[in-house]
Amino acid sequence: MRIDILTLFPDMFEGPFTQSIIKRAVARGHLEIHLHDIRDHTLDKHKRVDDYPFGGGAGMVMMAEPIALCIEKLQAERKYDAIIFMTPDGETFSQSHANRLSLHENIIILCGHYKGVDERVREMFVTEEISIGDYVLSGGELPAMVVVDALARIIPGVLNDETSALSDSFQDGLLSAPVYTRPADFRGHKVPEILLSGNDRLIGEWKLEQQLERTRQRRPDLLEKLDFDK
Ligand code: ADE
């Protein structure tokens, strides 16, 4: 999978994209990430990428032209399956959304800043808009990192244990069961006996019960959405 990210702050991605799972996904050739500085595509002699909003109002608006030129340059090189704009008024990101996106070959993620981007960019180029939650961040960079991380971990071959992404919370519509490691007794707090039993069937049943109980207590809304016929 190839992800092209359009941003005014490419350096923000340095840390998260050179560590852990994303680093491994890139190193193993499962994921290609290309960062594009929108400022490199402005035709303005002062390299301006934002301007005052027509009709007044607070804040600056990212201009259409540099973004359009950057997208068009990429589109001339390959076909994109999705052009995603990170914005608080987009569809709320979810595991099923990540699963769907992970099937794509090439995607563009556009990060907004200031008061947003000129609406015509959204009309002319953007195919979907994603929010990571009902709060406003300073820009789309952190949300883009969230989306890339969620995608990287579900690309087959990225995680060592193939089943481990499948057992993530939300993958089956439930929260995860609690997990324990050594020692079996930590300051008098013992690991549930069943996990030491070696009986895979009983352990599997216990885990499912725990998942259901945790989901019932913490996120009953998820149980209502469960499709038991799947
Ligand atoms: N940009 C600013 N806030 C955002 C959010 N909550 N989700 C996606 N993009 C954003």
Side-chain angles (χ1 to χ4, degrees):
M1 177 178 209
R2 174 182 168 123
I3 306 179
D4 288 89
I5 299 176
L6 277 55
T7 170
L8 289 173
F9 301 96
D11 293 349
M12 281 182 74
F13 294 84
E14 183 71 28
F17 283 4
T18 53
Q19 309 287 325
S20 186
I21 303 291
I22 297 183
K23 177 184 175 189
R24 193 194 305 162
V26 172
R28 290 187 179 175
H30 297 296
L31 182 62
E32 255 183 66
I33 301 175
H34 298 265
L35 293 164
H36 305 275
D37 189 338
I38 294 168
R39 208 173 288 280
D40 292 341
H41 298 269
T42 173
L43 300 178
D44 182 87
K45 62 176 185 288
H46 303 294
K47 292 236 162 218
R48 282 189 67 165
V49 288
D50 61 331
D51 211 333
Y52 295 99
F54 278 126
M60 303 294 271
V61 176
M62 284 170 68
M63 296 156 99
E65 187 168 65
I67 298 170
L69 290 174
C70 186
I71 293 176
E72 283 164 347
K73 181 169 178 287
L74 291 170
Q75 282 178 324
E77 292 162 3
R78 70 196 60 74
K79 193 181 164 334
Y80 284 90
D81 306 301
I83 300 181
I84 299 162
F85 176 47
M86 304 308 305
T87 171
D89 48 20
E91 185 191 332
T92 307
F93 193 52
S94 64
Q95 188 62 53
S96 60
H97 205 153
N99 294 349
R100 227 180 319 126
L101 287 179
S102 74
L103 302 175
H104 290 326
E105 210 141 300
N106 302 310
I107 63 172
I108 289 174
I109 302 181
L110 170 63
C111 305
H113 239 273
Y114 312 122
K115 266 289 162 201
V117 310
D118 189 304
E119 186 67 18
R120 290 163 293 185
V121 168
R122 298 166 79 163
E123 290 166 8
M124 293 166 68
F125 297 101
V126 169
T127 60
E128 51 189 293
E129 305 195 328
I130 297 180
S131 163
I132 61 159
D134 288 343
Y135 39 83
V136 178
L137 299 168
S138 315
E141 283 75 14
L142 289 169
M145 292 175 211
V146 167
V147 169
V148 172
D149 188 280
L151 294 182
R153 59 182 293 103
I154 51 179
I155 299 174
V158 169
L159 296 189
N160 278 334
D161 175 358
E162 276 283 341
T163 61
S164 103
L166 294 177
S167 63
D168 282 348
S169 276
F170 298 109
Q171 262 314 355
D172 52 9
L174 296 172
L175 300 183
S176 291
V179 292
Y180 301 86
T181 186
R182 286 186 298 173
D185 183 335
F186 177 64
R187 300 181 184 172
H189 294 254
K190 296 194 172 60
V191 169
E193 202 69 41
I194 188 90
L195 294 179
L196 310 175
S197 70
N199 185 326
D200 288 342
R201 187 181 57 81
L202 290 181
I203 291 173
E205 283 171 13
W206 179 86
K207 284 187 178 171
L208 182 58
E209 271 166 32
Q210 293 290 319
Q211 282 190 275
L212 286 165
E213 184 54 20
R214 229 170 222 209
T215 310
R216 192 186 62 71
Q217 278 176 5
R218 300 178 186 200
R219 293 293 305 276
D221 57 303
L222 292 178
L223 289 177
E224 282 158 30
K225 289 189 210 139
L226 265 192
D227 180 359
F228 288 101
D229 297 332
K230 257 199 317 199

